[in-house]
Amino acid sequence: MNSGFFRLAATLLSGLVFGFGLSLSGMLDPARVRAFLDITGNWNPSLAFVLGGAVFVSALGVVLTRRLKHPLFDETFHLPDNQVIDRRLIVGAAIFGVGWGLVGLCPGPALASLSLGLPPTMLFVAAMVFGMLIHDRLVAHRPSRTGGGTEAGARLSQPH
């Protein structure tokens, strides 16, 4: 079998583990996320523990990738080349945060929640896909003012 099959299998397995973790932690419930963001009301800190666990696991992944010359099933790591916090990043983060705060969903939990068959989640995912298509058509191919990070498919080698 070729490396494409193993990349696809690893991606599918990673998605399943991620979705299972979200379900196990209760993060598929938008009310739990909104309760975390409502610091002046009935605050629920459980999302902070989930985020802390995610940061820990991600940090282990970063340490591991720095020790590897290339991923197991590819020749290079696919990392963004833009290291600058620019207007595009801030606007995108703000849109993400506002959407997350309004409905209590972000892309990962929304996709995992599709298995529940809830109409609001389906509407959210449809709007998210629509927004991604608009971004891909209107914004992604424009050159950045900072001079980096505009090519979505850019391949970079891991620095040694």
Side-chain angles (χ1 to χ4, degrees), residues 65 68-71 75-79 154-158:
T65 59
L68 297 174
K69 289 186 177 183
H70 59 84
E75 296 176 7
T76 60
F77 287 98
H78 302 271
L79 303 172
R155 291 179 169 226
L156 300 173
S157 294
Q158 179 75 8

Side-chain angles (χ1 to χ4, degrees), residues 15-85:
L16 288 172
V17 169
F18 180 67
F20 178 75
L22 289 171
S23 178
L24 183 67
S25 64
M27 292 301 125
L28 299 183
D29 182 4
R32 187 173 290 212
V33 174
R34 284 192 303 264
F36 173 75
L37 298 173
D38 185 12
I39 58 173
T40 60
N42 191 16
W43 187 60
N44 180 350
S46 61
L47 181 58
F49 296 107
V50 174
L51 291 172
V55 168
F56 177 73
V57 171
S58 294
L60 290 177
V62 168
V63 169
L64 179 64
T65 59
R66 289 188 176 166
R67 294 178 182 262
L68 297 174
K69 289 186 177 183
H70 59 84
L72 292 176
F73 307 123
D74 207 338
E75 296 176 7
T76 60
F77 287 98
H78 302 271
L79 303 172
D81 61 348
N82 185 8
Q83 303 290 317
V84 177
I85 298 174

Side-chain angles (χ1 to χ4, degrees), residues 3 5 33 35 37 41 43 53 60 62 64 79 83 87 89 115 119 125 129-130 139 160:
S3 64
F5 171 79
V33 174
L37 298 173
W43 187 60
L60 290 177
V62 168
L64 179 64
L79 303 172
Q83 303 290 317
R87 187 176 65 137
L89 178 64
S115 62
V125 170
V129 169
F130 183 69
V139 179
H160 298 285

